[in-house]
């Protein structure tokens, strides 16, 4: 016999009534920032989404199994199942991808992964099941509050930069503000879409809400994010074009005037694009500077072309979530791109294809298409649903140039739920024909709550320990290392972040505590190396640290060689692998007495460098490195030959200039040494050591006045660079 429906005052009913509030709480994730955690702008948001997601799962399980009512009729439309199908494809392709563990958890530096996506899709379905008019009113109010707070903090950040002042509790001023996202692109993409989506909600069709949306759009413009600027321009054009041809009366005339003004402004912009590219107003300057030769544009084009080419090798299953870097590493070429690491292509559509194959991209496009179709259907009779279409248009254009943050994707899914539910009957039905055992729902609910410990609490502690380890690395090494050991021992998915950051910290520091640091850092990197055989970054990080083994510790040369071999295999054109391999061979040669064995070892060093020089013949740095090595071995002719090749291939670059200057100083080629030292100081004016070297070269070349001018500058700006230079200063008459 069916059990009775829970009473209004029952625990199940109260839990059911709390579900909409949990969904609304998710909207406040963008406001969460914590300096106590590593990645202070990202990890608090991730942990909040995961926590609320698990609590919502617990509450839904308990209330549904207890016989509570939900709006199940909304699930009958086939389009409602597109997000579930997309999520299923993401899981399937990731299972056959590079590493399901990494795909499931993602990277804490990004805050994504299949787990977070699961919570976002779950929030979409829960919204369909519980949303009513009252719910959307609270969504509008909450979203307006979030947009307003982000915009206000962003405005203060921008003013701090413009006026040169500081505001308490506000991020440091910059020409491109990030507000509580800490990143201008994330802020721009969120505010652009959120502001337009807000106007689609019935509650928000008042002057106050429109003012908030306008503030959000203005702040998105001030971030100077070009993808968002283009998206907003397209949204404005679409809005004006419709109003100009389908509007009525004064509104129609005003829209036509505005549309004409928009075309005129665009024409003037293109006509004066060159002078505008030097505008002091950052949004105008960045938009006008778009060109194929622009560094950022060139990088994006390289990534799009080569990651797409690599992705074509996996057209059906992709490489799985959070594995785009494996495709980029294979294509990386230092001659064609300045940025060393990419884990996103900066094109959401290419990301979906690369990670999840044709099916993943197709379902993502179907999701966008379904959202637009339902927005159109809801809008046709009248009302404010047209803003939903405009918001979706902006979303699509932004995704051509960027990728979704979890907070933005959540908003998109909520907008889809809004337009989808507008065409479905508001009829409550029980999730189950009869109320199952309340205890079964309670047990399942408790299981979700308990899952907060491994999913949220342990990674949160690990990221707190990483923040402590980073903060006290130099000032309190013992405290730093204790925190790092503790956090690493938790064995969470934060392990990659530990490895990458510790390698950078270790190789940048020296001192008496180096052996203790090595004893902590090396095992962490070795563990990552064993756990992630596809990770070039992990292999190079380990090799770099082992190469810098302190004298008091035993160097694991076999481990370093293994790491370098893997790095060369995964990313054949990365220079670091070959330079570290050359260092390894050079240290072998240095330990041998003069003779045939030592000569053979040195030949091995040269062979490694020549191999890389043959892979990248237009790269100057390998040639200057070989020139230094030949010169040290007394082969001046070969050294000069390699230096000539390096000089002909040289393009202004700080690392190469340092290597070239060192060679020419050793070779006593003063004109060339002066040229490269000058380039170093142009690229790094604060380099006191190079300035001193340039002063000496000028003195040797007979330019004593030029040498004194440099020394006078050092005495004002960097007197420490002149320490121990009494003899040289005496020659100059000091």
């Amino acid at each position: 016999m069916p059990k009775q429906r829970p009473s209004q005052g029952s625990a199940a009913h109260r839990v059911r009534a709390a579900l909409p509030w949990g969904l609304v709480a998710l909207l406040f994730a963008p406001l969460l920032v914590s300096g106590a955690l590593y990645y202070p702008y990202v990890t608090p948001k991730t942990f909040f989404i995961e926590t609320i997601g698990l609590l919502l799962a617990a509450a839904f399980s308990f209330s549904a199994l207890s016989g509570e009512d939900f709006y199940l009729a909304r699930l009958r439309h086939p389009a409602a199942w597109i997000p579930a199908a997309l999520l299923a494809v993401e899981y399937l392709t990731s299972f056959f991808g590079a590493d399901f563990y990494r795909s499931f958890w993602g990277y804490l530096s990004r805050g994504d992964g299949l787990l977070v996506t699961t919570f976002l899709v779950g929030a979409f379905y829960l919204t369909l099941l519980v949303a009513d008019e009252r719910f959307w009113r609270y969504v509008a109010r909450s979203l307006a509050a979030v947009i307003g707070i982000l915009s206000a903090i962003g405005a203060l950040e921008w003013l701090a930069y413009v006026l040169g002042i500081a505001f308490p509790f506000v991020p440091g001023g910059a020409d491109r503000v990030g507000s509580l996202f800490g990143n201008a692109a994330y802020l721009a993409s969120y505010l652009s879409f959120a502001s337009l989506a807000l106007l689609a909600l019935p509650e928000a069709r008042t002057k106050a809400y429109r003012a908030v949306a306008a503030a959000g759009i203005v702040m998105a413009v001030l971030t100077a994010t070009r993808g968002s600027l283009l998206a907003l321009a397209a949204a404005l054009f679409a809005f004006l074009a419709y109003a100009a041809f389908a509007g009525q009366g004064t509104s129609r005339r005003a829209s036509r005037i505005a549309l004409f003004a928009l075309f005129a402004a665009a024409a003037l912009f293109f006509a004066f694009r060159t002078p505008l590219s030097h505008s002091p107003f950052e949004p105008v300057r960045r938009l006008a500077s778009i060109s194929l030769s622009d560094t950022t544009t060139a990088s994006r084009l390289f990534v799009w072309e080569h990651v797409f080419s690599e992705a074509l090798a996996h057209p059906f299953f992709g490489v799985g979530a959070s594995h785009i870097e494996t495709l980029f590493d294979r294509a990386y070429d230092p001659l064609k791109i300045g940025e060393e690491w990419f884990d996103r292509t900066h094109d959401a559509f290419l990301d979906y294809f690369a990670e999840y194959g044709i099916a993943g991209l197709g379902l993502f496009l179907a999701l966008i298409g379904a959202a637009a179709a339902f927005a159109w259907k809801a809008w046709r009779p009248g009302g404010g649903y047209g803003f939903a279409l405009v918001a979706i248009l902006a979303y699509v254009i932004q995704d051509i140039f960027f990728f979704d943050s979890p907070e933005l994707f959540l908003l998109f899914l909520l907008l889809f739920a809004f337009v989808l539910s507008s065409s479905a009957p508001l009829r409550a039905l029980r999730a189950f024909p009869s109320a199952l055992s309340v205890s079964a729902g309670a047990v399942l609910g408790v299981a979700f709550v308990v899952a907060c410990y491994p999913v949220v609490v342990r990674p949160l502690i690990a990221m707190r320990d990483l923040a402590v380890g980073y903060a006290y690395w130099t000032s309190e090494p013992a405290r730093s290392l204790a925190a790092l050991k503790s956090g690493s021992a938790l064995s969470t998915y934060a392990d990659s972040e530990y490895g990458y950051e510790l390698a950078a910290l270790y190789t940048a520091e020296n001192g008496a505590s180096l052996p203790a640091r090595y004893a902590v850092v090396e095992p962490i990197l070795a563990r990552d190396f064993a756990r992630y055989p596809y990770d070039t970054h992990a292999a190079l990080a380990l090799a770099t640290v082992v190469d810098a083994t302190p004298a008091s510790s035993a160097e694991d040369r076999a481990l370093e060689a293994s790491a370098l071999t893997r790095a060369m295999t995964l990313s054949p054109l990365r220079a670091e692998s070959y330079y570290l391999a050359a260092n390894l061979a050079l240290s072998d040669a240095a330990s041998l007495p003069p003779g045939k064995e030592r000569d053979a070892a040195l030949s091995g060093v040269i062979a490694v460098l020549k191999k890389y020089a043959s892979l990248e013949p237009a790269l100057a740095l390998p040639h200057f490195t070989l020139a230094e090595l030949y010169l040290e071995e007394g082969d001046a002719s070969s050294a000069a030959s390699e230096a000539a090749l390096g000089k002909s291939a040289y393009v202004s670059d700080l690392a190469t200039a340092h290597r070239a200057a060192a060679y020419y100083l050793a070779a006593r080629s003063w004109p060339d040494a002066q040229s490269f030292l000058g380039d170093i100081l142009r690229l790094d004016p604060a380099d006191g050591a190079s300035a001193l070297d340039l002063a000496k070269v000028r003195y040797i070349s007979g330019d004593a006045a030029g040498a004194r001018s440099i020394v006078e500058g050092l005495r004002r700006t960097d007197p420490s660079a002149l320490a121990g230079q009494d003899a040289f200063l005496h020659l100059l008459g000091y």
Side-chain angles (χ1 to χ4, degrees):
M1 191 174 171
K3 295 184 179 180
Q4 291 185 349
R5 193 169 301 201
S7 65
Q8 293 290 319
S10 67
H13 188 77
R14 290 194 297 271
V15 170
R16 163 65 177 83
L19 287 172
W21 295 105
L23 289 168
V24 169
L26 285 171
L27 294 172
F28 290 91
L31 304 182
L32 297 180
V33 175
S34 173
L37 298 175
Y38 209 76
Y39 306 123
Y41 293 101
V42 179
T43 48
K45 297 175 176 62
T46 304
F47 294 142
F48 181 75
I49 291 172
E50 291 173 339
T51 302
I52 298 297
L54 286 169
L55 294 178
L56 285 172
F60 173 73
S61 301
F62 177 65
S63 58
L65 290 173
S66 298
E68 283 294 322
D69 293 342
F70 295 91
Y71 301 124
L72 295 173
R74 292 172 176 169
L75 300 180
R76 292 175 182 171
H77 198 290
W81 295 101
I82 295 176
L86 177 58
L87 184 63
V89 167
E90 291 180 11
Y91 269 91
L92 179 64
T93 54
S94 295
F95 181 79
F96 291 103
D99 178 11
F100 183 76
Y101 173 85
R102 176 55 62 204
S103 295
F104 179 77
W105 291 105
Y107 287 97
L108 279 166
S109 57
R110 288 292 185 199
D112 54 7
L114 294 179
L115 178 63
V116 171
T117 305
T118 302
F119 289 131
L120 301 181
V121 172
F124 164 78
Y125 285 105
L126 193 55
T127 299
L128 287 181
L129 293 175
V130 305
D132 54 16
E133 290 184 8
R134 183 171 176 238
F135 171 79
W136 292 115
R137 285 200 299 272
Y138 284 112
V139 166
R141 295 171 189 176
S142 301
L143 186 56
V146 171
I147 293 171
I149 293 171
L150 289 173
S151 300
I153 293 176
L156 291 174
E157 187 180 352
W158 186 76
L159 285 173
Y161 169 74
V162 172
L163 302 177
I165 59 178
F167 295 102
F169 309 110
V170 173
D175 55 349
R176 298 186 63 205
V177 299
S179 189
L180 298 181
F181 277 97
N183 181 290
Y186 277 130
L187 178 65
S189 59
Y190 181 87
L191 285 179
S192 299
F193 180 77
S195 300
L196 295 171
L198 174 64
L199 295 175
L201 301 175
E203 173 76 8
R205 294 165 195 166
T206 64
K207 290 183 178 179
Y209 282 101
R210 289 174 182 173
V212 170
I217 290 171
V218 169
M219 185 48 54
V221 170
L222 289 179
T223 66
T225 301
R226 289 176 284 196
S228 292
L229 291 173
L230 293 173
L232 289 171
L236 177 61
F237 172 80
F239 178 81
L240 292 176
Y242 175 81
F245 293 99
Q248 295 180 352
T250 304
S251 174
R252 183 176 183 176
R253 287 193 298 273
S255 297
R256 288 184 173 182
I257 294 171
L259 189 61
F260 176 78
L262 183 63
F263 275 115
L268 289 171
F269 180 86
F270 282 105
F272 295 97
R273 194 164 72 91
T274 300
L276 286 175
S277 65
H278 303 287
S279 168
F281 187 51
E282 191 67 8
V284 171
R285 187 195 66 78
R286 282 179 56 80
L287 200 58
S289 65
I290 295 177
S291 69
L292 295 179
S293 60
D294 173 67
T295 302
T296 302
T297 303
S299 292
R300 299 292 184 269
L301 292 174
F302 174 86
V303 172
W304 291 348
E305 176 187 355
H306 290 83
V307 170
F308 177 70
S309 297
E310 294 289 341
L312 286 176
H314 314 273
F316 299 109
F317 285 95
V319 292
S322 302
H323 287 299
I324 286 175
E325 74 277 4
T326 62
L327 302 178
F328 173 75
D329 287 344
R330 289 203 290 269
Y332 171 76
D333 186 339
L335 281 173
K336 298 176 181 176
I337 186 169
E339 297 173 78
E340 285 195 80
W341 306 105
F342 261 91
D343 59 5
R344 291 291 184 275
T345 65
H346 286 260
D347 181 312
F349 303 103
L350 180 53
D351 283 349
Y352 271 91
F353 175 66
E355 291 182 305
Y356 312 120
I358 294 173
L361 174 59
L363 285 167
F364 182 57
L365 292 172
L367 178 62
I368 295 173
F374 276 93
W376 173 262
K377 181 180 178 181
W379 172 55
R380 289 299 292 273
Y385 289 96
F387 282 107
L389 277 172
V390 174
I392 292 167
L393 173 63
Y395 179 80
V396 169
I397 294 175
Q398 286 188 146
D399 274 0
I400 295 173
F401 304 102
F402 199 53
F403 48 89
D404 289 349
S405 65
E407 297 78 21
L408 176 57
F409 189 53
L410 171 66
L411 271 190
F412 177 77
L413 289 175
L414 289 181
L415 182 64
F416 181 32
F418 171 66
V419 295
L420 181 61
S421 61
S422 66
S423 63
L426 191 66
R427 186 156 52 96
L429 299 171
R430 274 183 289 173
F432 296 92
S434 61
L436 298 179
S437 171
V438 176
S439 59
V443 169
L444 189 57
V446 169
F448 279 116
V449 173
V450 171
C452 288
Y453 179 73
V455 172
V456 177
V457 176
R458 284 169 64 93
L460 187 150
I461 294 172
M463 295 309 282
R464 181 205 63 189
D465 287 343
L466 181 56
V468 171
Y470 183 89
Y472 294 100
W473 178 263
T474 301
S475 60
E476 298 183 40
R479 180 178 179 181
S480 171
L481 295 177
L484 293 171
K485 288 175 66 176
S486 174
S488 177
L490 293 171
S491 296
T492 66
Y493 69 106
D495 49 7
S496 290
E497 274 81 7
Y498 269 76
Y500 301 157
E501 300 304 325
L502 291 185
L505 283 173
Y506 177 83
T507 53
E509 294 285 343
N510 285 301
S513 60
L514 200 62
R517 289 171 172 166
Y518 182 81
V520 172
V521 173
E522 191 274 344
I524 293 173
L525 292 168
R527 181 191 62 188
D528 289 353
F529 177 70
R531 181 177 288 178
Y532 305 116
Y534 52 83
D535 192 338
T536 307
H537 200 167
L540 267 179
L542 175 63
T544 302
V545 167
V546 174
D547 188 67
T549 303
S552 59
S553 304
E555 182 179 356
D556 193 338
R557 305 175 69 79
L559 180 62
E560 181 181 357
S562 176
L564 291 173
T565 299
R566 179 184 294 178
M568 291 177 186
T569 302
L570 295 173
S571 190
L573 297 183
R574 287 193 183 275
E576 300 95 323
S577 305
Y578 295 90
Y579 295 144
L580 287 170
N583 283 344
L584 189 62
L586 192 60
S587 62
D588 286 337
S591 65
L592 297 171
K596 291 183 179 180
E597 289 188 24
R598 186 173 185 275
D599 292 341
L602 287 173
S603 297
V605 178
I606 293 171
V608 170
L609 293 173
K610 278 192 169 293
K611 179 182 178 181
Y612 187 66
S614 67
L615 291 172
E616 291 283 25
L619 198 63
L621 186 56
H623 295 295
F624 284 119
T625 306
L626 278 166
E628 275 195 286
L629 184 60
Y630 277 127
L631 190 65
E632 289 177 7
E633 296 306 308
D635 188 348
S637 175
S638 296
S641 177
E642 289 292 343
L645 291 172
K647 189 176 179 180
S648 64
Y650 178 71
V651 177
S652 189
D653 168 71
L654 189 58
T656 306
H658 273 290
R659 183 71 70 179
Y663 164 75
Y664 286 119
L665 285 170
R668 298 177 178 272
S669 178
W670 308 127
D672 287 319
Q674 181 170 322
S675 173
F676 281 100
L677 287 168
D679 209 23
I680 291 172
L681 293 174
R682 184 182 62 81
L683 297 169
D684 183 11
D687 189 340
S690 295
L692 179 63
D693 284 338
L694 180 58
K696 292 178 178 179
V697 169
R698 285 191 173 180
Y699 179 80
I700 293 171
S701 302
D703 184 7
R708 278 192 292 271
S709 175
I710 293 173
V711 168
E712 285 296 330
L714 287 174
R715 294 178 74 181
R716 291 191 303 271
T717 61
D718 188 10
S720 62
L722 299 173
Q725 299 296 320
D726 294 345
F728 178 57
L729 294 174
H730 179 72
L731 288 174
L732 294 177
Y734 290 98

